[in-house]
Amino acid sequence: MTPAIRPRDPRAPKILGDHGGHGHPPAPGAPDDPEPQHSRLPGLPGLPGLPEHLRLPVLARLADLPRGVVLSLIAVGLVLAGGCAALVLNQQDTATPPMPTIDKPSKTPRTSPRPDGSTLTDEQARAALLTQSDLGAPWTATQGAATWRDQLLKATTSAGDCQRLLDALYTDEILGGPARAATGLDDTDTGAQLRYQIAARRPADVDAALAWLGTMPARCARFTATTQTGIQEDVQVGDAPLPKVGDRSQGLRISLSATDRDDRHAVLTLEVAAVRAGQDAFALTNGGLGDVPNDATQAAVQVGALRLADVRKQGRAQV
């Protein structure tokens, strides 16, 4: 007996999978029925990415929702999808990041561990001294301190600062302190002696000593002194021309005239030169009982400044 088929209530909700009111799919060759509602939802084509066993329940729940709610969800999906697409389409190429760089340490000025501020090592200070080859003949390595130093330079006076000048000449402390390195050269033709030194004093102290030397032609232009043997000396002090070298310099020309008890007359002429070049300084005395030409002093100053500059340049190149 064939069961009776009850007519469907048109007011009943349409069941998913219902085609034309029948529970059977269309016959082969029949026109394609429009996609089910859940497949036609824009932005939700089968919910790709969901596992197969979850897709139909999700679609079924969407189908049970009121049409207005479904359309709102669809609109939100379109907006979000469009925004993501816009972000992807409008994204600009990222600029190539700069390669990492390593800053090279800047060279800083060398600081001196010495209290006088000099950047020269002891070896460099000795290398900055004059040699006999710098001045040429007739200058040779010294044979020792000249005898006139004790006979005429070791003297006393009551003329204020002039005693300090005599002491500086005798002790070779022209710049107010012991030398860092020193040497001597003898002129075998005239008997003159040149004593050259690299100072061991701070630039400020050197400048103060140079300023003091500059006052000597006025303060000690002429005065009398007495040697250890009681001989009276007539001392005169004046300026001596020097080449334009270094940052500051001062030259003096000093003469000491004396007559002993045997009526022997002697005149000691002594030229003094002192120069500061940067953090370093040098000084020299060029003296003798005969003629002491100024050109020998100027040559020694010029060569000494060049030698000092060359030694400092070599020292910087080794850093």
Side-chain angles (χ1 to χ4, degrees):
M1 182 175 181
T2 303
I5 299 176
R6 296 175 60 187
R8 180 177 176 178
D9 185 352
R11 292 173 300 175
K14 195 173 183 179
I15 301 174
L16 289 175
D18 189 4
H19 298 276
H22 302 283
H24 302 283
D32 291 336
D33 189 48
E35 239 183 307
Q37 184 177 357
H38 64 78
S39 297
R40 295 197 307 269
L41 296 178
L44 298 172
L47 295 179
L50 286 177
E52 187 66 28
H53 67 282
L54 295 178
R55 292 181 184 177
L56 290 178
V58 171
L59 293 175
R61 288 180 176 273
L62 289 176
D64 291 336
L65 295 174
R67 180 178 182 82
V69 175
V70 174
L71 292 178
S72 298
L73 291 176
I74 292 173
V76 172
L78 288 176
V79 170
L80 292 177
C84 294
L87 289 175
V88 174
L89 293 176
N90 294 334
Q91 184 178 6
Q92 297 179 353
D93 293 339
T94 304
T96 304
M99 295 296 291
T101 58
I102 300 177
D103 293 335
K104 295 182 179 179
S106 58
K107 293 185 178 180
T108 57
R110 297 177 62 193
T111 57
S112 172
R114 293 181 52 84
D116 58 19
S118 174
T119 58
L120 297 180
T121 64
D122 291 339
E123 182 180 358
Q124 290 170 337
R126 291 189 293 269
L129 294 173
L130 291 182
T131 65
Q132 61 187 68
S133 60
D134 292 325
L135 299 180
W139 293 96
T140 61
T142 186
Q143 298 301 310
T147 57
W148 45 256
R149 297 185 66 83
D150 284 338
Q151 294 172 351
L152 298 173
L153 283 181
K154 198 170 185 180
T156 59
T157 182
S158 58
D161 269 359
C162 304
Q163 182 63 58
R164 177 182 171 187
L165 176 61
L166 290 175
D167 292 342
L169 294 174
Y170 179 72
T171 60
D172 273 336
E173 295 184 356
I174 306 301
L175 292 174
R180 183 178 181 186
T183 189
L185 298 172
D186 293 341
D187 183 340
T188 55
D189 288 349
T190 65
Q193 187 171 80
L194 187 147
R195 298 174 72 84
Y196 187 91
Q197 62 178 266
I198 300 297
R201 307 211 67 196
R202 297 180 304 167
D205 294 334
V206 172
D207 286 347
L210 291 172
W212 173 77
L213 287 172
T215 66
M216 291 297 97
R219 293 184 179 181
C220 300
R222 191 166 189 172
F223 63 94
T224 60
T226 305
T227 68
Q228 284 186 316
T229 58
I231 298 175
Q232 296 291 312
E233 295 179 325
D234 178 29
V235 185
Q236 298 182 52
V237 181
D239 288 306
L242 296 179
K244 301 295 183 182
V245 297
D247 298 304
R248 190 168 181 178
S249 62
Q250 180 62 50
L252 298 177
R253 187 176 178 90
I254 304 164
S255 66
L256 301 89
S257 301
T259 301
D260 64 9
R261 294 182 180 88
D262 297 328
D263 205 27
R264 291 177 299 185
H265 186 68
V267 177
L268 172 64
T269 302
L270 196 66
E271 286 202 332
V272 177
V275 177
R276 179 178 67 80
Q279 296 292 109
D280 302 293
F282 63 87
L284 64 88
T285 58
N286 176 25
L289 296 175
D291 183 32
V292 179
N294 177 256
D295 58 355
T297 302
Q298 294 211 40
V301 170
Q302 187 72 55
V303 175
L306 292 175
R307 171 64 64 83
L308 178 59
D310 186 57
V311 169
R312 291 164 66 178
K313 182 178 179 181
Q314 293 178 6
R316 288 192 295 267
Q318 294 173 1
V319 176

